[in-house]
Structure formats: structure tokens, C-alpha cells
Amino acid sequence: MFFNRNRNFGSWMEYVEADAPLSWRPSFPRSPIPLPGHVVLRSRDGEVTALSRPGFALPTDRFVQVDQRRRQLSFAPQRIPTAEGQDVTLTFVLTVRVSDPVAFLTAADEPDREVYLAAQIALRELVATKPLAEFIGQRIDLSPVAEAAREAGAAVGVEVLGDVHLKDLSLPHGVAEALSQAEVDKLTAASELERARTEVKITRARMGTAKVLEQNPLLAKIRLLEALPPGTTLELRDRSLDSADQPREPRDRGELDS
């Protein structure tokens, strides 16, 4: 914490961090200039007013600047039982902005907590009515949570923008392991099925080749020659030259009949 000369208030004042609670401060003789995205509120004689532009101020006037920029309202992980009693953990976030600065400062001590609590209760009521199966591989409709947050925010000057954004969903440990194993089994089965299909295709191709070679002896001999390793010696013999009574010598290895 340190001190700084703030031009908006025209006096020596303590510099406050962005996340510090709002506090009323004097600004004499003129009201402060609003920061970008902020609105200046004035408290005079117990009445709080939003100023549209800077003007003269009384010594007893107090001012505060309210941030109206869009911001994220994050929620801690919520561990909630489903309809079967299985706990699921959800983390979500709301996008909000201050729509009514006067109500934001006067309607509740902690307006953000009002919105937080309404959304938290609505989420628990929603999850408690749903079976665990609806949280697996499906998009969860969190519109009831957003509607509850809007109703609570309207009473304290907070506007909820858009829908609830689900950041994380954790299933029970046993269910998560079972889903993981089921996915592994699914991939393994698909791989084995593809391998079996490939083997069937190869077998059919070989059967077709064997049938063609059976019907074409010359082609079979050519394929045999192609299959021989380099350096193989072949002996070719014409049977027509052999006499009928002359015993036929055994053929050497690699001999082909012509």
C-alpha cells in the first residue's frame, strides 16, 4: 500500500488496489472525473446519486467510483450428488457487469455473493434431479442456473451476461476409470477387426493368384523363376529327345521340364 496524488479526486488520498472494497472519499471543490468504464456516485445528506458529469462538490460530499466493465465471476469446484447419490464435481463461471451502480452499493453488503449463492443453490437442485448418465458425453443445460443468477443479480444491480460457462466436470473415480477402459476396449476391438479384414483380403488375393497359376502352367513356371534367389543354376531338358527305353536320370535341383 502506498500514497499517490490522484488527479480525479484533487487531494492526497490512499491508493487502493483493484480488488479492495469500495470506500467513500471526499473530493472538494469538484467531483472526481470518472475512470474509463466507471461511474461516479455521490453521497449527500444520506442520498446516493449517480453523476452524469463532474461538477462542484460540497465539503461534506463523499464519492466513490464503481466499475461497470464486464468481468468474470468464478465459482469454486462444486461437489454435488446426482439422483443416484454419485458425486460429480463441476466448475463454472458467470460473466457479469454492474447495471445499476446505486443498487450495487446500497441493496446488499456483498452483491456478488448474492449472485453466487443463488447460482450455487440452483446448480445443486439441478444436479440432484439428474441421473449420472446425463453427465456422460452430453451437453448439460445450465439455463436454470443462469436464470436464478439473473433474478438475484437484478435485485442488487448486477446483470448476468449470456449463459453459464462450464469450465470442468469430473465424474466419480470408478466411473471415470470404467469409461477410460471401455474406450480402450473399443479402440482395441476396432484395430482387431481391421486386422481381420486385411487378412481376409490377403487370403482372397492369394487364392485368386493360385487359381490363375493352376490354369496357366507357363505363367506358373515364370513365377517360379522370379521367385528363385540370385545365383541359382537351372538345367533345361527336352523330354522328346529321351528314348523310351533309356532310363531317365534324376533331375538336379532347380531343373525345369520343357
Side-chain angles (χ1 to χ4, degrees):
M1 194 69 67
F2 59 91
F3 291 88
N4 186 20
R5 179 75 173 180
N6 193 311
R7 181 175 305 178
N8 293 330
F9 284 86
S11 61
W12 287 94
M13 58 171 290
E14 188 179 10
Y15 179 81
V16 182
E17 300 294 341
D19 57 350
L22 296 175
S23 58
W24 296 91
R25 301 177 181 277
S27 180
F28 180 76
R30 294 186 60 85
S31 61
I33 300 173
L35 298 172
H38 291 62
V39 63
V40 176
L41 299 186
R42 181 189 64 194
S43 175
R44 175 180 292 177
D45 298 330
E47 181 181 358
V48 178
T49 307
L51 301 182
S52 58
R53 61 180 182 271
F56 290 102
L58 300 178
T60 57
D61 289 346
R62 295 295 182 268
F63 301 90
V64 67
Q65 298 210 34
V66 179
D67 192 345
Q68 288 191 291
R69 295 174 295 179
R70 183 176 64 252
R71 53 193 173 88
Q72 304 295 326
L73 184 60
S74 298
F75 288 72
Q78 305 291 313
R79 188 175 181 181
I80 308 173
T82 61
E84 303 92 346
Q86 296 285 342
D87 289 341
V88 295
T89 304
L90 301 95
T91 305
F92 64 99
V93 63
L94 291 173
T95 303
V96 299
R97 63 178 293 271
V98 176
S99 58
D100 187 348
V102 175
F104 183 75
L105 286 185
T106 60
D109 180 40
E110 297 181 355
D112 284 349
R113 290 189 63 85
E114 299 273 344
V115 179
Y116 185 103
L117 182 60
Q120 186 182 46
I121 294 175
L123 178 65
R124 289 186 174 274
E125 293 178 349
L126 176 66
V127 174
T129 60
K130 291 184 175 294
L132 181 62
E134 294 190 15
F135 294 90
I136 301 175
Q138 299 184 24
R139 185 179 181 87
I140 305 173
D141 183 16
L142 297 178
S143 56
V145 180
E147 186 61 29
R150 289 192 184 96
E151 292 181 2
V156 294
V158 176
E159 179 185 3
V160 178
L161 304 175
D163 297 326
V164 177
H165 302 287
L166 184 63
K167 294 174 59 179
D168 186 34
L169 171 63
S170 300
L171 298 173
H173 181 68
V175 176
E177 285 189 348
L179 290 175
S180 178
Q181 185 61 41
E183 190 66 22
V184 172
D185 294 341
K186 180 180 178 180
L187 294 176
T188 302
S191 176
E192 292 179 352
L193 178 61
E194 187 62 27
R195 187 183 302 110
R197 290 175 177 173
T198 302
E199 292 178 354
V200 170
K201 292 179 181 179
I202 294 175
T203 302
R204 289 178 178 175
R206 289 177 176 174
M207 291 178 63
T209 303
K211 185 176 181 180
V212 172
L213 295 178
E214 182 181 3
Q215 296 174 354
N216 297 271
L218 180 59
L219 180 60
K221 292 180 180 181
I222 294 175
R223 291 296 302 272
L224 176 61
L225 292 175
E226 293 176 348
L228 293 176
T232 303
T233 303
L234 297 178
E235 179 182 352
L236 302 178
R237 176 178 297 179
D238 190 353
R239 289 185 179 183
S240 61
L241 299 178
D242 296 340
S243 58
D245 56 349
Q246 183 178 0
R248 188 170 182 270
E249 297 180 359
R251 291 183 296 180
D252 294 336
R253 184 177 180 180
E255 178 182 353
L256 292 178
D257 293 336
S258 60

